[in-house]
Amino acid sequence: MAEEDAPLVLYVEDEPAVLELGVSALEEGGFRVASASTGAGAIRQLETPDAAFAALVTDIDLGDNSSGWEVARRARELFPDLPVVYVSGGSAHEWASRGVPGSVMLTKPFALAQLVVAVSNATLERPGPGG
Amino acid sequence: MAEEDAPLVLYVEDEPAVLELGVSALEEGGFRVASASTGAGAIRQLETPDAAFAALVTDIDLGDNSSGWEVARRARELFPDLPVVYVSGGSAHEWASRGVPGSVMLTKPFALAQLVVAVSNATLERPGPGG
Amino acid sequence: MAEEDAPLVLYVEDEPAVLELGVSALEEGGFRVASASTGAGAIRQLETPDAAFAALVTDIDLGDNSSGWEVARRARELFPDLPVVYVSGGSAHEWASRGVPGSVMLTKPFALAQLVVAVSNATLERPGPGG
Amino acid sequence: MAEEDAPLVLYVEDEPAVLELGVSALEEGGFRVASASTGAGAIRQLETPDAAFAALVTDIDLGDNSSGWEVARRARELFPDLPVVYVSGGSAHEWASRGVPGSVMLTKPFALAQLVVAVSNATLERPGPGG
Amino acid sequence: MAEEDAPLVLYVEDEPAVLELGVSALEEGGFRVASASTGAGAIRQLETPDAAFAALVTDIDLGDNSSGWEVARRARELFPDLPVVYVSGGSAHEWASRGVPGSVMLTKPFALAQLVVAVSNATLERPGPGG
Amino acid sequence: MAEEDAPLVLYVEDEPAVLELGVSALEEGGFRVASASTGAGAIRQLETPDAAFAALVTDIDLGDNSSGWEVARRARELFPDLPVVYVSGGSAHEWASRGVPGSVMLTKPFALAQLVVAVSNATLERPGPGG
């Protein structure tokens, strides 16, 4: 349903069932989605020369000994303005110390509307407090 | 469509037709919804020992001599961080004096997308201005 | 699907295919939509004595030598509180100098969820920073 | 130091020493200040036909069986857009249930810079989230 | 009092007495200030090759047939992220239609604390809603 | 000038001259200030059993092989709501990837008014977007 050039979201999640639901909700909302199931795979996509993501959605506890905290940090090193939405069950309490500025935390289990709204908000261009 | 542990919204509305539309829009968005048609009924649910609501949506003019202003105030006494969305036709102008801090006002008749977005925004964890 | 008195959005777009998609997404979300394909047509609707729009969505590059910047400026002269959502491909970089305060910029091609969320956010009553 | 037409703040406080410090900090910042030591006195000033306050600063526990919650609620009935800054020691925890939308809570003892910044922020015209 | 490399504010005002007060308040707060008394003079400074302003403060009704609206628009064409604070007596009502996104409006006569706080807020780096 | 129980700010800075200016500006604004010149010293103060800080201001490049990023992360582990203001010259560009959510970045050399306003904003209680 998403147009060819629609905004592209990178979705990182190691539970296939959760990933599938999330991806299909975002696609129904008109986003294109690239997915990764490991932190290493996500970082590889972020480091691809022509990468052009509109937002990053990342689970915290990824299978491969890596975490969404690391993925987001690397993403922001490469793209300082990239909107970040974290998704987690057990690690939400760590967000205040490990999240990046301006990010959003979605606690699992979440409603799909929350995901779509979080990504939509994050990708709208609005002036920050300083102009 | 909502998962078993999806965020639970308490929806207080005394017009069955409006309640039904609102509940089904929220459920379609993936929220679970508990409903009440009177202020007394809503407060009873809020005071239940294990109550764990993610947000309160409340109409203002409830049938039983009570009002949504009272429901929200009681809710915030019990749960100071509970997100509140008011819904009203004739009483929206009272929000500036009777609403609680950080609440949102939806004027009837509203678009269902406004309801779903208002509840989704309210339940995303984001830093406030002070950190 | 929108109720008779649902919030009315004025949607200004000269590409019929884009307009049709946008209008139907907003209507599915429960908004009523009035549309215009030229700046002059939009301004005529805004100047109609009983005009009561809940929000303005406007493309920037309109066919008739007019632009969305002008439409929004005229709209705000008439209705200083009217929420404004700009939509553009090539002109998004001009928003910082030509947009009105508190507006939002949607870059084409956008996801329909972004449009619906932008309009929903814009039409919720929330206190600004000053009260 | 305040100019003749500088923004006028209504400051309600029943402890003379606190009032004096607060008033002089605001005046040094260039505001004019009208003061009241009771809720009744404050409401009388708010109801004066030509009242034109730029902001309300109110203590919560006022001597005359009234509270700052009531003062602010009455103020907002009369002036829905009036910025409100509450000041309190023991009652700050009630703000979530008894404060008005868009208000700010200053916990006693506060730094005078917090008071001046809170009032300055509240009186700057900025677009709210909806435009 | 401002350090040699302190943030530099461009202050545009054609009333010498107002300019002097504003400049000295900002300097006392630690900002460096460059001033202009006409729109043309301000734009000349903005277009200077090495111009590096931290914020623009501009009166609306400038003597030379130009206006602060034009100065800010030109400033944002050159520096899309430049924080803008407008200052005006009679023209504040035009801000909603003629101001730039993310700007702030200070109504004359203002308190000097409002000016210093407005410029300080505008020059702090904080994440916008989108990250 | 600060009262005995005024809000206490922890200020971490290894350049004595900068520390002295910052501390005295905050004290003039009515804050109490505890200072540390190393990351280790700051973390020791944060871990003190009765620590009760209203805000953390921290330089990034600290002498002892530690950084303000680490100090703030540890502070947020202990106090998830603690407001954080970073101060830096050369490391400001790392804030998007290494800062904590809801923090503010002050670029050196800063104006003292920016510091006082940043700390004042951060310590005012205001509702976040979700209530």
Side-chain angles (χ1 to χ4, degrees):
Chain A
M1 183 173 171
E3 277 186 73
E4 197 181 322
D5 292 330
L8 177 62
V9 176
L10 177 58
Y11 199 127
V12 192
E13 170 64 73
D14 64 343
E15 293 181 59
V18 174
L19 182 64
E20 195 187 320
L21 282 171
V23 168
S24 91
L26 287 171
E27 288 181 345
E28 224 172 277
F31 293 95
R32 288 182 302 140
V33 186
S35 65
S37 59
T38 63
I43 288 171
R44 222 164 16 239
Q45 293 196 43
L46 288 161
E47 291 175 342
T48 297
D50 293 331
F53 295 106
L56 168 68
V57 177
T58 182
D59 183 37
I60 298 305
D61 304 303
L62 299 168
D64 64 333
N65 281 332
S66 73
S67 77
W69 308 126
E70 292 162 39
V71 173
R73 182 187 279 213
R74 181 67 186 131
R76 283 287 185 84
E77 284 168 7
L78 295 161
F79 310 104
D81 297 328
L82 189 72
V84 171
V85 177
Y86 298 106
V87 171
S88 181
S91 305
H93 64 284
E94 294 182 329
W95 175 65
S97 59
R98 309 199 64 185
V100 293
S103 59
V104 174
M105 182 86 226
L106 251 181
T107 306
K108 283 186 186 174
F110 56 86
L112 290 172
Q114 290 176 299
L115 174 65
V116 176
V117 170
V119 172
S120 296
N121 281 337
T123 52
L124 293 170
E125 214 166 322
R126 280 181 287 189
Chain B
M1 184 173 171
E3 277 186 72
E4 199 181 321
D5 293 330
L8 178 61
V9 176
L10 178 56
Y11 200 126
V12 193
E13 170 64 72
D14 65 342
E15 293 181 59
V18 175
L19 182 63
E20 196 187 319
L21 282 171
V23 168
S24 91
L26 288 170
E27 287 182 345
E28 224 171 278
F31 294 95
R32 288 182 302 139
V33 186
S35 66
S37 59
T38 63
I43 288 172
R44 221 164 19 238
Q45 292 195 44
L46 288 161
E47 291 175 341
T48 297
D50 292 331
F53 295 106
L56 168 68
V57 177
T58 183
D59 183 38
I60 298 306
D61 304 302
L62 299 168
D64 65 332
N65 283 331
S66 73
S67 78
W69 308 125
E70 292 162 38
V71 172
R73 182 188 280 213
R74 181 67 186 130
R76 282 287 185 84
E77 284 169 6
L78 296 162
F79 310 104
D81 297 328
L82 189 72
V84 171
V85 177
Y86 298 106
V87 171
S88 181
S91 306
H93 64 283
E94 294 182 331
W95 174 65
S97 60
R98 309 198 64 184
V100 293
S103 59
V104 173
M105 183 87 227
L106 252 181
T107 306
K108 283 187 188 173
F110 55 86
L112 290 172
Q114 289 176 299
L115 174 66
V116 176
V117 170
V119 171
S120 296
N121 281 336
T123 53
L124 293 170
E125 215 166 323
R126 280 182 288 189
Chain C
M1 184 172 171
E3 279 186 70
E4 198 181 323
D5 293 330
L8 178 62
V9 176
L10 177 57
Y11 199 128
V12 192
E13 170 65 71
D14 64 344
E15 292 181 59
V18 175
L19 182 63
E20 196 187 319
L21 282 171
V23 168
S24 92
L26 287 171
E27 286 181 346
E28 225 172 276
F31 293 95
R32 289 183 301 140
V33 186
S35 66
S37 59
T38 63
I43 287 172
R44 223 166 15 241
Q45 292 196 43
L46 288 161
E47 291 176 341
T48 298
D50 293 330
F53 294 106
L56 168 68
V57 177
T58 183
D59 183 38
I60 298 306
D61 304 302
L62 299 167
D64 64 333
N65 282 332
S66 72
S67 76
W69 308 126
E70 292 162 38
V71 173
R73 181 187 280 213
R74 181 68 186 130
R76 282 287 184 83
E77 284 169 7
L78 296 162
F79 310 104
D81 298 328
L82 189 72
V84 171
V85 178
Y86 299 104
V87 172
S88 181
S91 306
H93 64 284
E94 294 183 330
W95 175 65
S97 59
R98 309 199 64 184
V100 292
S103 58
V104 174
M105 183 87 227
L106 253 181
T107 306
K108 283 185 186 176
F110 55 86
L112 291 173
Q114 289 176 301
L115 174 66
V116 175
V117 170
V119 171
S120 296
N121 280 337
T123 53
L124 293 170
E125 213 166 323
R126 281 181 287 188
Chain D
M1 182 172 170
E3 276 187 71
E4 199 182 320
D5 293 329
L8 178 61
V9 176
L10 178 57
Y11 199 128
V12 192
E13 170 63 72
D14 65 343
E15 291 182 59
V18 175
L19 182 63
E20 197 186 319
L21 282 171
V23 169
S24 90
L26 288 170
E27 287 182 345
E28 226 171 275
F31 293 95
R32 289 182 302 139
V33 186
S35 66
S37 59
T38 63
I43 288 171
R44 219 160 24 235
Q45 292 195 43
L46 288 161
E47 291 175 341
T48 297
D50 292 331
F53 294 107
L56 168 68
V57 177
T58 183
D59 184 38
I60 298 305
D61 304 303
L62 299 167
D64 64 331
N65 283 331
S66 72
S67 78
W69 308 127
E70 293 162 39
V71 173
R73 181 186 281 215
R74 181 67 186 129
R76 282 287 184 83
E77 285 169 7
L78 295 161
F79 310 104
D81 297 328
L82 189 72
V84 171
V85 178
Y86 298 105
V87 171
S88 181
S91 305
H93 64 284
E94 295 183 330
W95 175 64
S97 60
R98 309 198 63 184
V100 293
S103 59
V104 173
M105 183 87 227
L106 251 181
T107 306
K108 284 186 185 176
F110 55 86
L112 290 173
Q114 289 175 300
L115 174 65
V116 176
V117 170
V119 170
S120 296
N121 280 336
T123 53
L124 293 170
E125 213 166 324
R126 281 181 288 188
Chain E
M1 182 173 173
E3 277 186 72
E4 199 182 318
D5 292 331
L8 178 61
V9 176
L10 178 56
Y11 199 126
V12 192
E13 169 63 73
D14 64 343
E15 293 181 58
V18 174
L19 182 63
E20 195 187 318
L21 282 171
V23 168
S24 91
L26 288 170
E27 287 182 345
E28 225 172 275
F31 294 95
R32 288 183 302 139
V33 186
S35 65
S37 58
T38 63
I43 288 172
R44 217 158 27 233
Q45 293 196 42
L46 289 161
E47 291 175 342
T48 297
D50 292 331
F53 295 106
L56 168 68
V57 177
T58 183
D59 184 38
I60 298 306
D61 304 303
L62 300 168
D64 64 331
N65 283 334
S66 72
S67 77
W69 308 126
E70 292 162 39
V71 173
R73 182 187 279 214
R74 181 68 186 128
R76 283 285 185 84
E77 284 169 7
L78 295 161
F79 310 104
D81 297 328
L82 189 72
V84 172
V85 178
Y86 298 105
V87 171
S88 180
S91 305
H93 64 284
E94 294 182 330
W95 175 65
S97 59
R98 310 198 63 184
V100 293
S103 59
V104 173
M105 183 86 227
L106 253 181
T107 307
K108 284 187 186 174
F110 55 87
L112 291 173
Q114 289 176 301
L115 174 66
V116 176
V117 170
V119 171
S120 296
N121 281 336
T123 52
L124 294 169
E125 213 165 323
R126 280 182 288 188
Chain F
M1 182 173 171
E3 278 186 72
E4 198 182 319
D5 293 330
L8 178 61
V9 176
L10 178 57
Y11 199 126
V12 192
E13 169 64 71
D14 64 343
E15 292 182 59
V18 174
L19 182 62
E20 195 187 320
L21 282 171
V23 168
S24 91
L26 288 171
E27 287 182 346
E28 224 172 276
F31 293 95
R32 288 182 303 139
V33 186
S35 66
S37 59
T38 63
I43 288 172
R44 218 159 27 234
Q45 293 196 43
L46 288 161
E47 291 176 342
T48 297
D50 293 331
F53 294 107
L56 168 68
V57 178
T58 184
D59 183 38
I60 298 306
D61 303 303
L62 300 167
D64 63 334
N65 283 332
S66 71
S67 77
W69 308 127
E70 292 162 39
V71 173
R73 183 188 278 213
R74 181 68 186 128
R76 282 287 184 83
E77 284 169 9
L78 296 161
F79 310 104
D81 298 328
L82 190 71
V84 171
V85 178
Y86 298 105
V87 171
S88 181
S91 305
H93 65 283
E94 294 183 330
W95 174 64
S97 60
R98 308 198 64 184
V100 292
S103 59
V104 173
M105 183 86 227
L106 252 180
T107 305
K108 284 187 187 175
F110 55 86
L112 291 172
Q114 288 175 300
L115 174 66
V116 176
V117 169
V119 172
S120 296
N121 281 336
T123 53
L124 293 170
E125 213 166 324
R126 279 181 290 188

